[in-house]
């Protein structure tokens, strides 16, 4: 019975492990082997070694590959001799027809292991080091076989027979192994097909196993439900070497579980071949939980829910199934089902399963882990946009964690509260954070939300450092960097002597915090996790067996799958835990955001490109979509809408355009900008309505969406020359941003108010708004926005009369280095036109003497504006060019500029929405 029922953690020999041992014999053949594998080169031999290394590391996977899958993988590395390798494997397996054959096979395996007497070896002989990964695996297989009883050896032999029969039955006639004209091998295969291994004596063994299962209330370590469980496993198709399929959603769902076709159900009822341990089932569930959190609603809800229901029916004590059902419903925005499954999970497990990062406290065994349940409930409310309920539940979790002395849970709860306060707009926390168990009770409730957030961030960081929670420390450093990026630090005390301080953000602090967060990649090994196994890394390596090298970001994939040179087998993913890669990648995404605010477009693009290229596989689909959105926005600003929409089409194929997705948002933003530039006000208003619908109606939720929708609504009204309505919308938006302390957005809104007054002819009223926006930009180091505000200020001065032309020109020349170095097409064109207007308005300037000073900027502006299809500004540029040519007496050039001016004016006044191919993109 030792070969069937083992204690937890036992290493059981399976037909797949026998196949790996056969491949190890090919890689390191013993001296007595007469025929060796004809390796074409040293690199070819090393590729087989890398493949075997991955197989040995992934021995504890939830599903072992079938023989035909293993053969398919071997063909990827076999090169010109791929048939020899696969045929030798199948023929060697078919030769194992008796227990004696198995005994002789494992005895021969000892010859490829090094030992005390292996100092003298033959030339070119390869000996495995017993302490190496391959040697350790081989020794464990030999030991596991030696521990088997005779019944266990017969059971293994029967499983090997079924293992080979399934591969032969699923192989078409023209794909049968090619072994030349060897009649002995052909007879062996036919003899193997006719063998009746099922008549071996296993009745007593099976009866005893079933009796143990019925007598025990708990599920045994091996789940002995061959027919039902094998049917469930057949429903989970995990391909070891997936092929690329060019469909709309293929790349989105290729890594998930999905039902197989009905042809796979024709299996022998007694085919419970690979008995999976509860620990392996737990590993499978953990892997699926990571997939759900990475790809959220892209996973089919009903298909995965049916799998979880079957698994829950087969193994009721696997409480983690409830938690996966909660995650599945959470990311599909099913609030009732998510709440029900979360409550069921904690009712059945008391939170003792699935949260290895929080060690249970010694004094709360009788209560379960109530604080963990509160933490999860608070995060669920946060996900569904219930900020008040989330804050109340998380504050209760703080109290319970302190009561039960669960310092780790307390640290994570404080981090969750910090995330809530930073992501959700909350104007006041009176009555919640002012309670007796508040995290900020000791400093009172007179502090602003930003000051409370700063205190909580510092406390959470200090607690995480004390507890040596490396991942939480890195996450808190990122949160501090984000806080320093958008908040001016003020003194916490409102009395007593104060040191003089400049009310400005500090980019050096932001850079420091992000660098401290990146140190996690060199320190993650000190914080171990019992659920992270090396086999998972090798499984990922096997699944990426045919993954092409090079960056696929915003580029079409090559469909030629027959060219083996296009794929590099040695492209192994990093064995760094996924959570560490996510945090390190988040630092690059935050760097991209920071450089966007600071005004460095090249650095923002580089960091977004690094994130999408290097961390896309380990990050959530929402974060990867954000990186793609940044790259698409960069293309629109610097290269025009044609390239941006081409990149958007590729991104839409990769990500689902669901509600509130980043890809959908960038699509609406591009459509709105292009509609305004071309004068399609009807389409622009329709896009504004779409943006408004996406935002939640709950106060403080989706503040970014609400701000974006209001900004674009005001710009649409401005384009329609409805100045009073546009000013009212902008003023309301400014009040909302001020209420929720969105200071960076306030700078943009103030600049918009200045532009509204400039276009309406009230330049005097627009000057205070431009100066206020300029002050905000200086406080928050928004260099590019500051240059734009300076340009608007110059335009306002210029509109006051020609007496202010020199002042306006001085302002423009001061902002030109930033605009030309980091500004987009529109901003550069505006600067060129404003500079030309300053020269033309100056009475002391002579066009005939310095006409190139005016014409060069206007030509560059017209070229860039035609790329953007910005008819209004392009018409102004051509109008000024016609005036200059008229003063110079160049009539032909004047008529050409006048014709271009007429074309843009007519296109602006008579937009053809029906003829626009982008009009139907919504």
């Amino acid at each position: 019975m030792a070969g069937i029922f083992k204690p937890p953690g036992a290493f059981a020999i399976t037909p797949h492990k026998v196949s790996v041992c056969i491949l190890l014999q090919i890689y390191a053949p013993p001296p007595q082997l007469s025929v060796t594998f004809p390796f074409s080169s040293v690199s070819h031999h090393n590729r087989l070694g890398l493949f075997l290394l991955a197989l040995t590391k992934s021995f504890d996977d939830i599903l072992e590959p079938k023989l035909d899958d293993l053969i398919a993988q071997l063909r990827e590395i076999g090169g010109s001799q791929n048939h020899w390798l696969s045929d030798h494997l199948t023929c060697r397996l078919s030769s194992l027809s008796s227990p004696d054959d198995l005994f002789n096979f494992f005895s021969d395996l000892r010859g490829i292991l090094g030992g005390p007497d292996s100092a003298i070896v033959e030339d070119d002989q390869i000996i495995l080091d017993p302490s190496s990964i391959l040697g350790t695996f081989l020794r464990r297989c030999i030991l596991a076989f030696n521990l088997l009883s005779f019944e266990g050896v017969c059971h293994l032999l029967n499983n090997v027979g079924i293992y080979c029969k399934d591969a032969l039955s699923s192989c078409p006639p023209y794909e049968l192994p090619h072994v030349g004209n060897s009649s002995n091998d052909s007879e062996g295969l036919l003899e193997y097909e006719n063998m009746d291994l099922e008549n071996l004596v296993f009745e007593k063994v099976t009866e005893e196993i079933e009796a143990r299962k019925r007598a025990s209330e708990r599920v045994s370590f091996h789940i002995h439900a061959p027919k039902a469980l094998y049917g469930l496993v057949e429903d989970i198709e995990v391909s070891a070497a997936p092929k690329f399929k060019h469909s709309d959603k293929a790349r989105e769902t290729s890594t998930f579980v999905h039902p197989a076709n009905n042809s796979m159900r024709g299996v022998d009822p007694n085919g419970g071949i690979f008995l999976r341990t509860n620990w392996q089932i737990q590993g499978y569930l953990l892997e699926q939980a990571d997939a759900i959190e990475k790809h959220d609603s892209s996973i089919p809800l009903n298909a995965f829910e049916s799998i979880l229901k079957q698994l829950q029916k087969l193994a009721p004590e696997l409480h983690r199934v409830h938690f996966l059902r909660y995650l599945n419903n959470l990311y599909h925005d099913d609030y009732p089902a998510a709440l029900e499954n979360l409550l069921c999970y904690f009712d059945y497990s008391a939170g003792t399963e699935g949260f290895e990062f929080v060690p249970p406290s010694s004094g709360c065994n009788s209560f379960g882990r109530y604080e963990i349940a509160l933490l999860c409930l608070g995060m669920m409310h946060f996900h569904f946009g219930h900020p008040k309920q989330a804050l109340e539940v998380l504050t209760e979790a703080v109290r319970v964690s302190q009561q039960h002395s669960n310092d780790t849970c307390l640290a994570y709860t404080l981090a969750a509260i910090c995330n809530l306060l930073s992501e959700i707009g909350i104007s006041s926390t009176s009555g919640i954070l002012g309670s007796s168990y508040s995290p900020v009770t000791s400093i009172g409730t007179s502090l602003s939300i930003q000051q409370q957030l700063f205190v909580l961030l510092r406390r959470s960081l200090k607690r995480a450092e004390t507890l040596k929670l490396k991942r939480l420390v890195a996450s808190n450093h990122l949160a501090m960097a984000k806080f320093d990026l958008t908040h001016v630090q003020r003194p916490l005390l409102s009395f007593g002597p104060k040191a003089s301080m400049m009310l400005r953000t500090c980019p050096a602090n932001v850079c420091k915090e992000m660098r401290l967060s990146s140190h996690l990649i060199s320190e993650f090994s000190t914080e171990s996790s019992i659920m992270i196994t090396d086999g998972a890394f090798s499984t990922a390596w096997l699944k990426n067996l045919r993954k092409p090298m090079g960056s696929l970001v915003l580029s079409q994939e090559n469909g030629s799958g027959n060219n083996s040179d296009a794929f590099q087998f040695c492209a192994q993913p990093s064995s760094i835990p996924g959570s560490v890669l996510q945090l390190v990648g988040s630092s690059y995404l935050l760097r991209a955001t920071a450089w966007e605010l600071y005004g460095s477009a090249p650095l923002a693009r580089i960091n977004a490109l690094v994130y999408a290229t290097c961390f896309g596989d380990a990050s959530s689909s929402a974060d990867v979509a954000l990186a793609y959105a940044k790259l698409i926005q960069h293309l629109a600003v610097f290269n025009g809408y044609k390239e941006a929409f081409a990149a958007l089409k590729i991104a839409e194929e990769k990500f689902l355009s669901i509600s509130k997705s980043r890809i959908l948002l960038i699509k609406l933003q591009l459509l709105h900008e292009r509609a305004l530039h071309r004068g399609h006000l009807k389409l622009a208003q329709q896009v504004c309505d779409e943006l408004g619908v996406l935002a939640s109606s709950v106060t403080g939720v989706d503040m970014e969406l609400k701000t974006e929708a209001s900004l674009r609504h005001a710009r649409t009204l401005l384009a329609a020359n409805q100045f009073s309505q546009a000013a009212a919308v902008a003023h309301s938006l400014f009040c909302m941003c001020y209420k929720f302390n969105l200071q960076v957005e306030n700078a943009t809104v103030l600049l918009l108010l200045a532009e509204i007054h400039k276009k309406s002819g009230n330049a005097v009223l627009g000057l205070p708004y431009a100066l206020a926006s300029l002050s905000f930009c200086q406080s928050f180091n928004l260099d590019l926005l500051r240059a734009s505000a300076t340009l608007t200020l110059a335009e306002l001065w210029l509109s006051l009369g020609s007496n202010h032309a020199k002042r306006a020109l001085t302002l423009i020349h001061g902002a030109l280095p930033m605009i030309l170095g980091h500004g987009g097409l529109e901003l550069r064109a505006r600067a060129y036109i404003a500079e030309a207007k300053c020269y033309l308005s100056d009475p002391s300037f002579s066009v005939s003497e310095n006409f190139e000073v005016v014409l060069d900027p206007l030509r560059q502006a017209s070229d860039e504006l035609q790329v953007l299809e910005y008819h209004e500004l392009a018409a102004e540029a051509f109008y000024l060019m016609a005036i200059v040519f008229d003063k110079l007496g160049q009539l032909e050039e004047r008529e050409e500029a006048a014709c271009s001016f007429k074309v843009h004016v007519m296109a602006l006044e008579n937009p053809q929405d029906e003829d626009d191919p982008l009009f139907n993109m919504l």
Side-chain angles (χ1 to χ4, degrees):
M1 297 305 297
I4 299 176
F5 189 77
K6 294 180 180 294
F11 184 92
I13 191 71
T14 62
H16 173 67
K17 294 185 177 67
V18 174
S19 300
V20 177
C21 291
I22 294 174
L23 295 176
L24 283 173
Q25 270 191 335
I26 298 176
Y27 175 73
Q32 63 271 20
L33 189 64
S34 58
V35 180
T36 60
F37 178 62
F39 291 104
S40 58
S41 63
V42 177
S43 177
H44 191 194
H45 186 267
N46 291 339
R47 291 178 69 186
L48 178 61
L50 288 173
F51 178 70
L52 291 175
L53 188 64
L55 287 178
T56 55
K57 287 185 177 181
S58 60
F59 71 90
D60 200 28
D61 278 0
I62 177 63
L63 289 177
E64 289 182 334
K66 297 180 181 179
L67 181 56
D68 51 357
D69 294 331
L70 184 60
I71 291 175
Q73 295 174 4
L74 288 174
R75 289 174 181 172
E76 298 295 333
I77 65 169
S80 59
Q81 304 292 335
N82 54 5
H83 289 300
W84 194 98
L85 191 61
S86 56
D87 293 347
H88 181 83
L89 175 62
T90 54
C91 293
R92 190 72 179 88
L93 285 172
S94 64
S95 66
L96 301 176
S97 57
S98 66
D100 290 336
D101 294 333
L102 279 176
F103 179 79
N104 294 332
F105 169 71
F106 281 97
S107 297
D108 294 338
L109 288 178
R110 299 177 182 273
I112 64 177
L113 286 173
D117 54 347
S118 61
I120 301 177
V121 296
E122 299 179 5
D123 293 339
D124 298 331
Q125 183 181 353
I126 299 175
I127 294 181
L128 294 181
D129 185 359
S131 60
S132 64
I133 296 178
L134 296 180
T136 302
F137 176 82
L138 193 60
R139 289 191 294 115
R140 294 184 71 181
C141 290
I142 296 173
L143 179 61
F145 177 79
N146 291 337
L147 293 176
L148 292 178
S149 62
F150 179 74
E151 291 84 356
V153 174
C154 294
H155 195 177
L156 174 62
L157 189 63
N158 184 30
N159 287 343
V160 171
I162 301 175
Y163 178 73
C164 294
K165 282 185 178 181
D166 289 342
L168 292 175
S169 62
S170 62
C171 182
Y174 56 83
E175 289 187 3
L176 287 175
H178 302 277
V179 289
N181 297 323
S182 175
S183 59
N184 294 332
D185 293 331
S186 301
E187 292 176 0
L189 290 175
L190 294 176
E191 180 184 357
Y192 200 83
E193 275 292 311
N194 297 325
M195 288 180 64
D196 192 10
L197 297 177
E198 288 81 0
N199 291 329
L200 294 176
V201 186
F202 294 113
E203 287 80 3
K204 294 184 179 180
V205 176
T206 306
E207 290 176 2
E208 185 172 350
I209 293 175
E210 296 297 332
R212 290 191 180 189
K213 180 182 175 183
R214 290 191 299 267
S216 176
E217 293 182 354
R218 296 185 59 86
V219 180
S220 62
F221 182 65
H222 284 86
I223 302 177
H224 299 282
K227 182 177 180 180
L229 184 57
Y230 194 72
L232 171 62
V233 172
E234 287 297 328
D235 282 342
I236 305 174
E237 181 183 1
V238 182
S239 176
K243 307 292 182 183
F244 287 104
K245 297 182 181 179
H246 294 275
S247 61
D248 292 340
K249 303 298 182 294
R251 290 186 296 275
E252 189 68 22
T253 58
S254 61
T255 58
F256 310 134
V257 293
H258 50 86
N261 51 27
N262 294 330
S263 63
M264 296 183 64
R265 292 185 173 275
V267 189
D268 186 5
N270 297 322
I273 302 177
F274 309 116
L275 298 180
R276 298 291 93 193
T277 65
N278 280 353
W279 188 250
Q280 290 171 325
I281 296 293
Q282 295 280 9
Y284 165 75
L285 295 178
L286 182 64
E287 185 181 74
Q288 296 306 307
D290 292 338
I292 292 174
E293 292 179 349
K294 287 180 183 177
H295 304 280
D296 47 67
S297 58
S298 301
I299 299 181
L301 173 64
N302 296 328
F304 189 51
E305 185 73 10
S306 62
I307 293 174
L308 293 177
K309 286 181 180 179
Q310 293 182 51
L311 189 57
Q312 185 178 348
K313 182 178 179 181
L314 291 171
E317 292 199 0
L318 292 178
H319 306 306
R320 196 189 296 268
V321 177
H322 288 290
F323 192 76
L324 255 74
R325 294 183 64 185
Y326 152 71
L327 288 179
N328 194 28
N329 290 286
L330 177 74
Y331 287 103
H332 284 87
D333 296 330
D334 190 347
Y335 175 77
L339 180 61
E340 178 184 0
N341 283 287
L342 181 64
L343 296 178
C344 286
Y345 169 73
F346 283 99
D347 285 343
Y348 289 121
S349 70
T352 58
E353 177 186 297
F355 292 91
E356 288 76 22
F357 62 85
V358 182
S361 55
S362 58
C364 61
N365 293 332
S366 60
F367 299 99
R369 298 170 75 180
Y370 180 50
E371 61 273 19
I372 302 294
L374 291 173
L375 176 59
C376 290
L377 183 60
M379 296 307 297
M380 187 194 74
H381 282 301
F382 171 66
H383 176 85
F384 283 108
H386 308 152
K388 185 176 181 181
Q389 295 90 328
L391 194 56
E392 290 175 348
V393 172
L394 291 175
T395 308
E396 174 69 13
V398 171
R399 183 188 67 83
V400 177
S401 298
Q402 292 174 341
Q403 184 179 9
H404 292 167
S405 300
N406 195 335
D407 294 332
T408 307
C409 181
L410 179 60
Y412 278 95
T413 305
L414 290 177
I417 294 176
C418 294
N419 188 31
L420 173 66
L421 293 178
S422 61
E423 295 292 336
I424 301 295
I426 300 178
S427 58
S428 175
T429 56
S430 59
I432 299 177
L433 291 182
S435 57
S436 59
Y437 47 87
S438 165
V440 291
T441 299
S442 58
I443 60 175
T445 58
S446 61
L447 300 180
S448 66
I449 296 298
Q450 282 65 39
Q451 290 172 320
Q452 293 186 28
L453 176 58
F454 178 74
V455 173
L456 286 176
L457 283 171
R458 285 299 182 190
R459 289 186 176 183
S460 178
L461 179 59
K462 184 177 180 180
R463 188 176 295 273
E465 289 175 345
T466 303
L467 297 173
K468 297 182 180 181
L469 302 174
K470 301 296 183 181
R471 293 170 176 84
L472 188 57
V473 169
S475 179
N476 283 332
H477 279 301
L478 286 180
M480 285 298 303
K482 187 176 181 180
F483 179 86
D484 292 336
L485 183 65
T486 57
H487 294 87
V488 175
Q489 295 187 14
R490 302 175 182 272
L492 298 178
L493 299 177
S494 58
F495 58 89
K498 304 185 184 67
S500 61
M501 60 179 299
M502 296 184 63
L503 296 179
R504 298 184 62 175
T505 59
C506 185
N509 289 342
V510 177
C511 182
K512 176 184 175 183
E513 296 293 344
M514 287 191 291
R515 286 186 177 181
L516 289 175
S517 174
S518 300
H519 289 170
L520 172 70
I521 200 163
S522 61
E523 300 176 355
F524 74 92
S525 58
T526 60
E527 183 184 2
S528 60
S529 175
I530 61 176
M531 291 300 294
I532 296 177
T533 60
D534 203 13
F537 310 144
S538 294
T539 304
W541 184 77
L542 286 175
K543 291 179 180 179
N544 291 333
L545 188 62
R546 291 182 57 88
K547 188 172 182 179
M549 292 288 289
S551 175
L552 294 180
V553 179
L554 300 181
S555 62
Q556 297 287 358
E557 295 181 26
N558 187 6
S560 60
N562 297 327
N563 185 7
S564 60
D565 295 335
F567 301 95
Q568 299 294 330
F569 181 81
C570 58
Q572 301 185 44
S574 174
S575 60
I576 301 174
S579 59
V580 175
L581 286 177
Q582 287 182 16
L583 286 172
V584 176
S586 298
S587 67
Y588 282 93
L589 201 57
L590 185 57
R591 283 187 178 95
T593 303
W595 286 119
E596 281 181 355
L597 292 178
Y598 291 150
S600 179
L603 289 176
R605 176 180 177 272
I606 287 174
N607 282 280
L609 191 60
V610 167
Y611 178 85
T613 306
C614 300
F615 302 97
D617 294 336
S619 303
S620 65
S621 59
D623 289 340
V624 179
L626 175 59
Y628 275 68
K630 291 181 181 297
L631 294 173
I632 294 172
Q633 183 68 38
H634 185 274
L635 286 176
V637 173
F638 292 90
N639 297 77
Y641 297 109
K642 183 178 181 180
E643 295 188 16
F645 279 110
L648 178 65
K649 183 178 180 181
I650 299 174
E652 284 182 324
E653 294 177 358
K654 183 177 180 62
F655 304 98
L656 296 177
S657 295
I658 58 174
S659 176
K660 298 182 184 180
S661 71
R662 291 289 180 175
I663 301 302
L664 178 59
L665 291 180
I666 192 62
K667 176 182 178 180
L668 294 176
Q669 290 171 359
L670 293 181
L671 286 174
H672 184 264
E673 291 289 344
R674 188 174 184 271
L676 288 184
H677 289 168
R678 301 191 64 181
H680 295 182
L681 300 183
K682 181 180 178 181
L683 177 60
Q685 185 58 46
Q686 185 179 352
V687 172
C688 289
D689 295 337
E690 292 287 340
L691 282 171
V693 169
L694 292 180
S696 173
S697 60
V698 180
T699 303
V701 180
D702 292 337
M703 295 303 300
E704 182 182 356
L705 264 177
K706 293 176 180 177
T707 304
E708 184 72 15
S710 298
L711 271 175
R712 296 193 175 274
H713 185 205
R715 287 174 179 168
T716 304
L717 294 173
L718 177 61
N721 294 328
Q722 300 180 11
F723 304 116
S724 58
Q725 295 90 332
V729 172
H731 179 73
S732 175
L733 176 60
F734 177 81
C735 294
M736 183 187 72
C737 293
Y738 183 81
K739 177 181 179 181
F740 293 104
N741 294 282
L742 304 177
Q743 305 298 340
V744 175
E745 288 77 5
N746 272 338
T748 305
V749 178
L750 288 171
L751 188 58
L752 176 61
L753 284 168
E755 292 178 355
I756 292 173
H757 289 293
K758 180 193 70 174
K759 195 171 182 180
S760 65
N762 298 320
V764 176
L765 295 179
L767 285 174
Y769 292 108
L771 291 172
S773 176
L774 200 58
S775 177
F776 271 94
C777 293
Q778 290 175 348
S779 298
F780 292 93
N781 294 283
L782 310 177
D783 294 341
L784 187 59
L785 189 61
R786 178 184 176 184
S788 179
T790 303
L791 178 60
T792 302
L793 184 63
E795 292 172 342
L796 288 169
W797 281 115
L798 186 60
S799 61
L800 290 177
S802 60
N803 296 332
H804 303 282
K806 291 185 177 181
R807 176 184 293 181
L809 187 60
T810 302
L811 290 173
I812 293 174
H813 285 169
L816 271 181
M818 187 67 190
I819 293 175
L820 299 182
H822 301 277
L825 296 177
E826 180 182 351
L827 187 57
R828 292 202 301 262
R830 280 183 55 199
Y832 287 139
I833 293 176
E835 183 185 16
K837 290 171 69 175
C838 288
Y839 283 119
L840 294 175
S841 300
D842 189 359
S844 62
F845 178 77
S846 176
V847 176
S848 58
E849 295 179 359
N850 298 314
F851 61 91
E852 291 296 338
V853 176
V854 180
L855 284 179
D856 285 344
L858 290 177
R859 288 193 184 101
Q860 295 184 36
S862 61
D863 293 340
E864 294 176 348
L865 291 171
Q866 288 184 92
V867 173
L868 285 177
E869 300 177 278
Y870 198 165
H871 295 314
E872 183 179 2
L873 277 183
E876 185 176 2
F878 282 113
Y879 174 77
L880 294 176
M881 289 174 64
I883 291 177
V884 174
F885 286 130
D886 182 68
K887 291 183 178 181
L888 294 175
Q890 300 178 9
L891 301 182
E892 184 177 352
E893 289 81 359
R894 184 196 65 182
E895 293 301 322
E896 183 180 353
C899 290
S900 300
F901 166 77
K902 182 180 179 180
V903 169
H904 286 287
V905 170
M906 292 182 63
L908 184 64
E909 293 179 352
N910 302 298
Q912 300 296 325
D913 292 344
E914 292 79 6
D915 298 335
D916 189 356
L918 300 177
F919 186 72
N920 298 320
M921 287 187 64
L922 288 178

